[in-house]
Amino acid sequence: MTTPAISHWPDVDDVEARLDALVGTPVRRPDDATLADYRAWFEKHTAGSRATAVEAAAYIPGGVQHNLALNEPWPLDVVRAEGPYLWDVDGNRYLDFLQAGGPTVLGSNYGPVREKVAELLAGCGPVTGMLHSSEVRLAKLIHDFMPAVSKFRMLGSGTEGVMAAVRVARAYTGRAHVIKVGGAYHGWSDQVVYGLRIPGTGSLEATGIPEGALRLTQEVAPGDLDGLRERLVANEEAGGTAAVFVEPVGPESGTHLVRPDENARIRELCDEFGALLVFDEVVTAFRLGMGGAQGHFGVRPDLTVFGKCVAGGYPAAGGIGGGDEVMGVLEGGLTAVGKRAFVGGTLSANPLSCVAGYHALTEMDRTGAPALAGRAGDRLCAGLAALIARYELPYVTYNIGSIVHLHTSGVLHLSLDDPDFFTELGPRSEMLGQMSMAYSAEGLITIAGSRLYTSMAHTDEIVDDALARFDRVFARV
């Protein structure tokens, strides 16, 4: 029997109560003198990274291209990744809980996969623009792990997968409206940059996107199934709803947790109103078990969006999968005609990504990596909770297997209805940068200071080392 990657589901009511308390508490961070000490560490130990950052600022907007990268006091120039570690250009080693944003469940730069990629590059090369057998092997493997995915179309990213899902849903149903859950991130394409990260914010971050692009995108509050029903009913008078998009563990990888029965109830609503249910499994596919979140919850989506893990940490990782009929509108090639949703991409389904993905997923299944990563997440979360209690901090931690949340500022749980929203937004966002800097100076790389991904490479020894480093930060708050 396969060991589950999620040992327990967090108590949603308890988590929400603690997060409400956190938002109502003044920010608790290291004091200015301590932050100055951490900046001094960067000054002394990361001169090479600083030089790279100065040059980057001359040629790259803001000097940083990765939205999850540390940028206070300056970005780190990372030159090596291996297992649970990162090394910067100055030779400093860090414990890596970013894990490239989540795809490296095996740990970074996993040797057996790297060897297969090297073989491919020595023979075929990275891209041909033609069919390659690795495409077939990868698609079949995904179907074997996720029966709802009868057909799979490889694309270049999770954002492209969402773009395709919107187009497929509209082409298949003949309807136009799409509904998302507030706070969820479904990539940066025009039609879904709506209600990002903080529920209820609508088009707050949609700078540069014309209003018309978002006219048919709608948002419902996390967990508000009555509101979802009302939206579906209202849309019936305007031609109906093409699709409901969800992150199956909740927006921002469970930053706003779903209740265990929520996906099944959304499935029922979609069936009632003839809308497609789309699971955005960019983070959760394979990380939360080889069957993804849909396997954990036992819910079959109509479409599944893939990213990150589908190439095991190699680039051009994304795609869309679903049943034969709905995926039929994505038929590719020069002769495809009829009711066709056009998607493309010169580098989509390239041999390098498909070979990497096939062997990464095979190794994850063989080694039981999702369960090992989940066990590491349990240990890390339990240790963080003990530290928070010891230092009587208002911080909130919980985990969904190998997805570990550590909320210190509460910025993602602010409410737009709060008259102090914009007063609180700046300081609480700034605190995330300060905490990220503190963690990094102690040799810890996290996701924006508020989330950590564990991998198979995060052994008990590695996790305990990390907890000792967190202890040093929390002790100075």
Side-chain angles (χ1 to χ4, degrees), residues 368-450:
L372 294 172
R375 181 179 178 275
D378 288 345
R379 187 181 186 91
L380 178 62
C381 184
L384 289 170
L387 292 174
I388 289 168
R390 182 195 306 170
Y391 292 108
E392 299 181 342
L393 295 169
Y395 303 163
V396 180
T397 188
Y398 58 92
N399 71 301
I400 308 163
S402 60
I403 302 171
V404 181
H405 289 266
L406 174 60
H407 298 288
T408 57
S409 82
V411 65
L412 296 182
H413 296 87
L414 293 174
S415 171
L416 198 61
D417 295 331
D418 187 334
D420 294 325
F421 175 82
F422 288 102
T423 302
E424 292 286 331
L425 183 62
R428 290 184 183 272
S429 297
E430 183 181 22
M431 180 187 171
L432 286 183
Q434 294 166 339
M435 296 302 289
S436 291
M437 178 182 68
Y439 298 149
S440 298
E442 293 288 358
L444 296 161
I445 302 297
T446 65
I447 301 173
S450 64

Side-chain angles (χ1 to χ4, degrees), residues 201-266:
T201 50
S203 58
L204 184 66
E205 295 195 56
T207 303
I209 299 174
E211 291 183 8
L214 293 165
R215 183 174 63 84
L216 298 168
T217 303
Q218 300 167 329
E219 174 189 2
V220 295
D224 186 5
L225 297 184
D226 290 337
L228 176 58
R229 171 178 283 280
E230 291 172 6
R231 184 71 72 179
L232 289 164
V233 169
N235 286 350
E236 288 294 286
E237 299 180 6
T241 302
V244 176
F245 283 75
V246 300
E247 290 186 62
V249 297
E252 280 287 342
S253 300
T255 294
H256 302 274
L257 273 167
V258 300
R259 299 180 187 278
D261 66 340
E262 191 169 317
N263 289 295
R265 294 174 65 189
I266 295 174

